Amino acid sequence: IQKLCDRVASSTLLDDRRDAVRALKSLSKASYRLEVGIQAMEHLIHVLQTDRSDSEIIGYALDTLYNVISNDLEEEEQEENLPKQVDDLGSQFTEIFIKQQENVTLLLTLVEEFDFHVRWPGVKLLTSLLKQQGPQVQQIILVSPMGVSRLMDLLADSREVIRNDGVLLLQQLTKSNAAIQKIVAFENAFERLLDIITEEGNSDGGIVVEDCLLLLQNLLKNNNSNQNFFKEGSYIQRMKPWFEVGDDNCGWSAQKVTNLHLMLQLVRVLVSPTNPPGATSSCQKAMFHCGLLQQLCTILMATGVPADILTETINTVSEVIRGCQMNQDYFASVNAPSNPPRPAIVVLLMSMVNERQPFVLRCAVLYCFQCFLYKNQKGQGEIVSTLLPSTIDATGNSVSAGQLLCGGLFSTDSLSNWCAAVALAHALQENATLKEQLLRVQLATSIGNPPVSLLQQCTNILSQGSKVQTRVGLLMLLCTWLSNCSIAVTHFLHNPANIPFLTGQIAENLGEEEQLVQGLCALLLGISIYYNDNSLENCRKEKLKQLIEKRIGRENFIEKLGFISKHELYSRAAQKPQPSFSSPDHMMFDHEFTKLVKELEGVISKAIYKSSEEDKKEEEVKKTLEQHDNIVTHYKKVIREQDQELEELKQRVNTLTSQNEQLQATVTQQVSQIQQHKDQYNLLKVQLGKDTQHHNSHSDTCQMNGVQVEEVSKLKEELEEWKNKHELLQGQLREKDSVIDKLKSSQLEMGTSEQSSQTNKSGGLEHNNELQKELEMLRTQVQLQSAEISKLQLENQKLQVMNTSADPVLGDSGATAANSSELEGRLQQEIKELKSEVKALSEEKESLKQHLDSSSSTVAILQDEKSKLQQEVAESKKEQDDLLVLLADQDQKLSALKIKLKDLGVPVEDEDDIESGDQGDEDEDGDEEEQD
């Protein structure tokens, strides 16, 4: 190794250095990794810096460094005690390499090279460095100019090996570094990765799809900026085809299951409850609008889906609908494909209360039910309504959600008891009206016995001493039910056995398992005191406090109450909403219940130590607050009513203004029409004056009289039109008068209203005055029009008188009639000829159209053929280029090999010499044949 290092350092010939590096590479794979790393690393880095022109030596150097730094040893070389040493070696050599930051920047420039023998080992080496010393290498790449951008180009490489290793490199680069994640996302990573997933066949793709999905998770998880960018770029819509699983769900490969699992996790990353509420809500809406939620529900109700995929799909649907009313309503409408069809919620609850189902699946269904009811008062009401006597299906044909929950609550399986109790508690979460309605639920325990209330049955099971898990579930349900509902507290206290049972449980000194039950009993008793309205004389707040003081002791009570929050399982449940338990025995606390405990623990502790006087003061304060709230609500109601009145008045004003505008438009139209008629009248007047001057000539008078007759008839028609318009205007005036009267009456009625609306009404009065002025103007205009009409009527009478005086002359017009009949005959013949010509032209047009259509279709066919030929030409050109590249590579390799053989002393003949030798042999053979 030392000799080889000396050759690398001191040899002047590139071939010698290359051979030495190649030998070091082969030694670094075996058990001499440590020696090669210690002695050769500096020399190899020097080679990378100085011999950039020779891709072969650079490739050998990068491979050697990769073997030294990487821990990916072959399986046969790995021993039991070796991995720890290997890890230490890799990280130590990485530290040595990255101590000089220039080495990493040099590596980044080498990765830019297109040569496969340089780029691929460079990518592998950089990935290995990131695996060993991730944060330090990330920081160096982040500060180097265009460092991340250079690595993003790997995704666009046409060689799949480099592209796929580039994805692995970016996985290591983006781990736990938000700054790099943002840069990678804004370098169009989402678009490229989604394209690769689509090219590889979505969920049916290979391990490349898995790597792309892991990279997408790195970019999106806990990165609000990237999540927002992903949503704004409409990439959520591109996730829908991932879940288009066919009906033939048999034969799921292990890779497909892995891919689909990662795809579902990616959806959950976008709608995780830990994200900001606004971002989660917008992603949930986008998933509904693009049909992603509908696709997930299809998988949920499909048959033949593997159990782990089904479980993850349920969890994904849960978080897509959590707190989003639109999505929750859709989920409520989903039916399972059974006969008769059942709601999906009912089918899922059947799995939850079935003890034969896998534990993980039952937890997922519970989470789904919780998410469906989260901030969904409508859904809560629908679930509780299935328990109420008026809505229960008497025929028993269909099982409701409420019946399943009750069945689970009182079954022999403790896990079903716990799940049903928690599910029912979520149906009552922050909903006082439903807590009161649930008190009406009656249960038939056995034949012949009277029905028992649900509350009573829960307390009965508690007192029977069932399993710890069952009692914890029932106590959580009762605490949720009684909190913030004094009527439920009264019902609970009405049973005389409940308080003695609770005090007895709290006072006893039991084992560790029972401490949790004791703490919950203390919480339930504290809720019974805090939310007690003192309606029961025997169970007033003060008496219950005295009972605690005598039987338990205040300090002991507070200590037992503190058992809940100190429990390990409580702190686990408080971390996240999803119920995730390692085993069924650890299933004790619900996330929402932990919030209730935090809220009530301090309040109950204070309430226990308060005196009766302080309680009275608190009650007085509560009453005054209630009165204040009532006053505020009353004023709000008054303001709302006034706002409604104002809106109505504004609408009326708007309608009146629109009517006024319409009327003004009609008036302007009529004025323009009057002006036109005036102009026409003046023209007629001028023509009549000219005609009277030439009255002596007989032929002229005949023609003029004919014109006068036509003009008189026209004037009569115009007079009729004017009369009609005059009547219309008078009708519109009457309507205006009626509107004004209505406004006046409404003004008188509105005079007695509040001061807040007086300003608007005064405005309305001013507007009405303006309308009256406009109406007065309209009246004057109409009067003027009527005067003009009367003038026209007088002139019409004069014209009629003139017409009667000219009637005797009209007798000589018989000859003109004969001439007109001849003209009519000629005109009809010409019209017939024109019609025949038009018909012929239309026929020619039709034939031309048909010819044009046929020619256009042939053109389209020829264009298709042309495009196909062009594609074939392009493909053949591409193939020729590839062949030329391959031939060039082979020529280079042959020439390199010949040079090596010459260096080694082996005689090698050039191709030109061989060809000339062959020709000489052929000539000799020809001479011999001639001699023979």
Side-chain angles (χ1 to χ4, degrees):
I1 292 167
Q2 186 61 48
K3 284 180 182 178
L4 291 168
C5 291
D6 291 341
R7 278 178 68 188
V8 171
S10 59
S11 292
T12 53
L13 289 172
L14 179 63
D15 294 337
D16 291 344
R17 292 201 301 277
R18 191 190 299 119
D19 293 339
V21 173
R22 189 193 297 116
L24 284 170
K25 176 190 167 185
S26 58
L27 285 168
S28 65
K29 287 180 185 175
S31 54
Y32 299 106
R33 174 187 172 194
L34 178 63
E35 291 80 0
V36 172
I38 291 167
Q39 297 179 39
M41 187 174 280
E42 285 184 17
H43 301 300
L44 293 167
I45 292 167
H46 184 69
V47 166
L48 295 178
Q49 290 169 345
T50 55
D51 291 327
R52 289 279 299 279
S53 57
D54 186 58
S55 61
E56 200 170 353
I57 193 170
I58 295 289
Y60 291 145
L62 289 169
D63 281 330
T64 311
L65 285 168
Y66 172 73
N67 292 337
V68 167
I69 287 168
S70 173
N71 293 326
D72 301 335
L73 295 177
E74 295 179 7
E75 289 181 6
E76 61 264 16
E77 293 177 2
Q78 286 187 350
E79 299 173 9
E80 291 181 3
N81 59 347
L82 193 61
K84 287 184 181 177
Q85 297 173 5
V86 165
D87 289 346
D88 293 340
L89 267 181
S91 60
Q92 285 169 14
F93 282 131
T94 305
E95 277 184 25
I96 294 165
F97 186 84
I98 65 171
K99 197 173 281 182
Q100 299 293 327
Q101 290 190 8
E102 296 82 13
N103 296 340
V104 180
T105 51
L106 174 65
L107 195 54
L108 287 171
T109 54
L110 290 171
V111 166
E112 275 189 297
E113 295 286 335
F114 186 73
D115 194 327
F116 182 82
H117 299 292
V118 176
R119 197 172 209 183
W120 188 40
V123 169
K124 289 198 293 181
L125 177 57
L126 197 51
T127 308
S128 187
L129 290 172
L130 283 160
K131 278 182 184 175
Q132 301 297 336
Q133 298 287 339
Q136 293 92 324
V137 180
Q138 283 174 343
Q139 201 56 38
I140 295 166
I141 292 170
L142 195 59
V143 296
S144 66
M146 297 292 288
V148 180
S149 301
R150 292 180 199 174
L151 299 177
M152 282 301 299
D153 293 337
L154 296 169
L155 294 181
D157 201 304
S158 57
R159 295 160 293 194
E160 286 192 10
V161 179
I162 292 175
R163 185 198 70 185
N164 298 344
D165 280 351
V167 172
L168 295 172
L169 168 59
L170 289 168
Q171 270 184 36
Q172 297 298 327
L173 182 66
T174 54
K175 269 186 182 175
S176 309
N177 193 312
I180 292 175
Q181 287 166 5
K182 286 179 186 176
I183 295 166
V184 170
F186 282 98
E187 288 281 346
N188 208 18
F190 293 137
E191 185 77 35
R192 292 183 188 179
L193 290 169
L194 291 169
D195 286 341
I196 293 168
I197 291 168
T198 308
E199 286 168 18
E200 295 290 325
N202 294 330
S203 60
D204 294 316
I207 197 162
V208 181
V209 173
E210 182 184 340
D211 293 336
C212 289
L213 290 166
L214 287 167
L215 177 53
L216 282 169
Q217 274 194 23
N218 282 0
L219 294 173
L220 291 170
K221 201 167 189 177
N222 301 323
N223 193 320
N224 301 327
S225 168
N226 280 5
Q227 286 173 9
N228 190 44
F229 180 63
F230 192 83
K231 181 186 71 69
E232 294 295 332
S234 302
Y235 296 118
I236 289 173
Q237 287 82 332
R238 291 187 64 179
M239 295 168 80
K240 188 197 169 190
W242 295 355
F243 305 103
E244 288 173 358
V245 181
D247 294 332
D248 51 337
N249 290 329
C250 54
W252 288 64
S253 64
Q255 188 61 55
K256 183 173 181 176
V257 170
T258 306
N259 289 347
L260 209 55
H261 207 273
L262 288 168
M263 286 167 177
L264 290 165
Q265 284 179 351
L266 197 64
V267 175
R268 290 184 69 185
V269 164
L270 293 168
V271 291
S272 172
T274 56
N275 294 346
T280 302
S281 176
S282 59
C283 286
Q284 286 172 332
K285 286 172 184 171
M287 285 174 186
F288 174 78
H289 289 305
C290 77
L292 182 58
L293 174 60
Q294 293 84 328
Q295 204 66 47
L296 290 171
C297 289
T298 307
I299 297 173
L300 196 69
M301 293 292 112
T303 53
V305 179
D308 52 345
I309 292 293
L310 183 62
T311 305
E312 191 62 25
T313 305
I314 293 169
N315 286 327
T316 308
V317 169
S318 308
E319 291 182 355
V320 173
I321 66 171
R322 188 177 189 269
C324 180
Q325 188 67 53
M326 179 171 60
N327 292 5
Q328 288 166 338
D329 290 345
Y330 170 75
F331 185 68
S333 68
V334 174
N335 284 324
S338 58
N339 193 14
R342 285 176 174 165
I345 296 166
V346 172
V347 174
L348 290 171
L349 286 176
M350 288 167 86
S351 302
M352 187 184 78
V353 297
N354 185 354
E355 56 188 298
R356 285 173 297 190
Q357 292 290 344
F359 171 66
V360 184
L361 181 67
R362 294 172 77 181
C363 289
V365 173
L366 175 63
Y367 184 45
C368 187
F369 192 70
Q370 290 174 352
C371 290
F372 170 66
L373 297 176
Y374 182 70
K375 292 184 179 178
N376 182 10
Q377 292 196 343
K378 183 184 172 186
Q380 288 176 324
E382 286 170 359
I383 297 296
V384 172
S385 68
T386 58
L387 283 163
L388 299 176
S390 58
T391 55
I392 290 171
D393 186 9
T395 58
N397 290 334
S398 60
V399 181
S400 67
Q403 288 168 331
L404 286 168
L405 289 175
C406 277
L409 200 60
F410 308 123
S411 75
T412 53
D413 177 32
S414 61
L415 192 62
S416 295
N417 302 153
W418 191 91
C419 288
V422 169
L424 203 54
H426 275 263
L428 303 174
Q429 203 82 38
E430 297 177 2
N431 201 323
T433 53
L434 293 181
K435 289 176 184 178
E436 292 175 18
Q437 283 186 12
L438 203 65
L439 296 168
R440 293 165 47 205
V441 175
Q442 299 290 317
L443 303 170
T445 51
S446 58
I447 299 165
N449 292 332
V452 180
S453 71
L454 179 61
L455 186 68
Q456 182 64 47
Q457 186 64 15
C458 290
T459 53
N460 290 346
I461 293 167
L462 267 178
S463 59
Q464 286 168 10
S466 50
K467 289 182 182 178
V468 173
Q469 194 173 38
T470 303
R471 283 182 287 160
V472 167
L474 288 168
L475 284 164
M476 284 198 295
L477 171 60
L478 289 170
C479 289
T480 308
W481 195 347
L482 268 60
S483 65
N484 209 13
C485 183
S486 54
I487 297 168
V489 171
T490 307
H491 274 72
F492 179 75
L493 296 173
H494 202 270
N495 186 351
N498 287 341
I499 296 299
F501 167 73
L502 291 176
T503 51
Q505 285 283 314
I506 300 162
E508 286 181 22
N509 289 319
L510 303 168
E512 286 186 9
E513 287 185 0
E514 294 293 327
Q515 282 184 351
L516 194 56
V517 177
Q518 284 185 315
L520 289 166
C521 287
L523 181 67
L524 185 58
L525 185 56
I527 288 167
S528 302
I529 293 168
Y530 185 71
Y531 291 107
N532 192 347
D533 60 355
N534 294 328
S535 56
L536 291 173
E537 189 59 38
N538 295 331
C539 297
R540 294 175 69 82
K541 282 186 182 180
E542 197 57 41
K543 287 189 177 180
L544 291 173
K545 285 181 193 175
Q546 289 170 4
L547 188 69
I548 288 169
E549 183 66 39
K550 286 178 186 175
R551 296 271 180 90
I552 306 162
R554 287 179 184 176
E555 289 78 10
N556 192 22
F557 178 85
I558 299 299
E559 186 187 347
K560 296 285 171 76
L561 186 64
F563 284 162
I564 303 170
S565 54
K566 288 173 186 173
H567 204 281
E568 183 189 353
L569 297 174
Y570 173 89
S571 56
R572 277 190 205 168
Q575 287 172 3
K576 58 179 182 178
Q578 186 183 356
S580 55
F581 306 100
S582 54
S583 69
D585 299 333
H586 292 160
M587 208 170 191
M588 287 292 173
F589 283 110
D590 171 53
H591 178 76
E592 290 297 323
F593 181 73
T594 59
K595 291 182 183 176
L596 184 71
V597 172
K598 279 180 191 173
E599 186 186 328
L600 294 177
E601 192 175 7
V603 173
I604 288 167
S605 301
K606 287 178 185 175
I608 294 298
Y609 284 104
K610 275 180 187 172
S611 62
S612 58
E613 291 177 1
E614 286 176 343
D615 284 338
K616 283 178 184 175
K617 283 180 183 176
E618 264 197 11
E619 284 178 7
E620 286 174 4
V621 169
K622 280 182 182 177
K623 283 179 182 176
T624 52
L625 283 170
E626 283 176 5
Q627 287 175 357
H628 177 72
D629 288 341
N630 291 333
I631 292 163
V632 168
T633 50
H634 171 69
Y635 278 118
K636 279 182 180 177
K637 193 178 178 183
V638 170
I639 289 162
R640 210 174 288 117
E641 287 173 357
Q642 288 178 351
D643 286 340
Q644 285 177 355
E645 286 178 5
L646 280 169
E647 284 296 323
E648 287 174 3
L649 286 166
K650 282 178 183 177
Q651 286 176 359
R652 287 176 69 181
V653 167
N654 287 332
T655 51
L656 286 168
T657 49
S658 62
Q659 285 177 4
N660 182 28
E661 285 170 1
Q662 286 175 0
L663 288 168
Q664 281 181 343
T666 52
V667 165
T668 50
Q669 282 179 1
Q670 287 170 358
V671 167
S672 64
Q673 284 176 359
I674 288 164
Q675 190 60 42
Q676 286 176 3
H677 288 303
K678 275 183 179 178
D679 295 339
Q680 287 175 3
Y681 175 71
N682 289 329
L683 281 167
L684 287 168
K685 212 171 181 183
V686 168
Q687 284 178 359
L688 282 168
K690 286 178 181 177
D691 292 339
T692 49
Q693 286 175 6
H694 301 287
H695 199 281
N696 296 324
S697 62
H698 177 71
S699 58
D700 291 344
T701 51
C702 288
Q703 289 173 0
M704 285 303 294
N705 285 328
V707 171
Q708 281 178 2
V709 171
E710 289 175 1
E711 286 170 353
V712 167
S713 60
K714 281 181 184 176
L715 284 167
K716 282 181 180 179
E717 287 171 3
E718 285 172 4
L719 276 170
E720 287 291 327
E721 285 176 7
W722 280 112
K723 284 176 183 177
N724 292 330
K725 285 176 184 176
H726 183 67
E727 286 171 3
L728 277 168
L729 284 168
Q730 282 181 341
Q732 286 174 358
L733 277 170
R734 288 192 206 98
E735 286 175 4
K736 279 276 184 177
D737 289 332
S738 64
V739 169
I740 289 161
D741 292 333
K742 284 178 185 176
L743 283 168
K744 283 178 180 176
S745 61
S746 63
Q747 284 166 13
L748 292 169
E749 286 172 4
M750 289 189 283
T752 56
S753 60
E754 284 78 0
Q755 291 178 355
S756 61
S757 61
Q758 280 177 359
T759 55
N760 290 319
K761 289 172 187 173
S762 62
L765 284 167
E766 288 171 6
H767 199 71
N768 291 335
N769 291 330
E770 288 174 9
L771 287 171
Q772 282 180 345
K773 287 175 183 176
E774 286 173 3
L775 284 168
E776 289 297 327
M777 287 169 69
L778 285 169
R779 281 177 181 166
T780 53
Q781 285 177 2
V782 170
Q783 285 171 2
L784 287 166
Q785 286 174 4
S786 60
E788 285 175 0
I789 287 162
S790 60
K791 281 180 184 177
L792 285 167
Q793 283 176 343
L794 287 167
E795 287 175 359
N796 185 24
Q797 286 173 2
K798 287 176 183 177
L799 284 167
Q800 282 176 347
V801 170
M802 287 169 71
N803 188 23
T804 50
S805 64
D807 277 345
V809 189
L810 291 170
D812 298 328
S813 61
T816 56
N819 291 327
S820 63
S821 63
E822 285 178 10
L823 285 167
E824 281 177 5
R826 286 179 189 173
L827 283 168
Q828 283 175 356
Q829 283 178 357
E830 286 176 4
I831 286 162
K832 283 177 184 177
E833 288 172 1
L834 287 167
K835 278 183 179 178
S836 62
E837 285 178 9
V838 167
K839 197 173 182 182
L841 286 166
S842 61
E843 285 173 358
E844 281 180 13
K845 186 184 171 184
E846 285 296 323
S847 64
L848 284 167
K849 261 190 180 178
Q850 289 172 0
H851 187 66
L852 199 142
D853 291 337
S854 62
S855 62
S856 61
S857 62
T858 51
V859 165
I861 292 159
L862 287 167
Q863 281 178 347
D864 291 337
E865 288 177 358
K866 183 185 171 184
S867 60
K868 285 177 185 175
L869 287 167
Q870 282 175 346
Q871 285 177 358
E872 287 174 3
V873 167
E875 286 172 3
S876 62
K877 276 185 182 177
K878 194 179 177 184
E879 287 173 3
Q880 284 175 358
D881 293 340
D882 293 340
L883 285 168
L884 286 168
V885 170
L886 283 168
L887 286 168
D889 288 341
Q890 283 181 355
D891 288 339
Q892 285 178 1
K893 285 178 182 177
L894 281 168
S895 60
L897 286 167
K898 282 175 186 175
I899 293 161
K900 284 178 188 175
L901 288 168
K902 281 179 185 178
D903 294 339
L904 292 166
V906 178
V908 179
E909 290 183 354
D910 290 335
E911 287 179 3
D912 298 334
D913 297 338
I914 291 162
E915 285 172 6
S916 61
D918 290 341
Q919 285 174 1
D921 292 338
E922 285 172 6
D923 294 337
E924 285 172 10
D925 293 337
D927 294 338
E928 284 172 6
E929 283 171 6
E930 284 173 7
Q931 286 171 8
D932 292 337

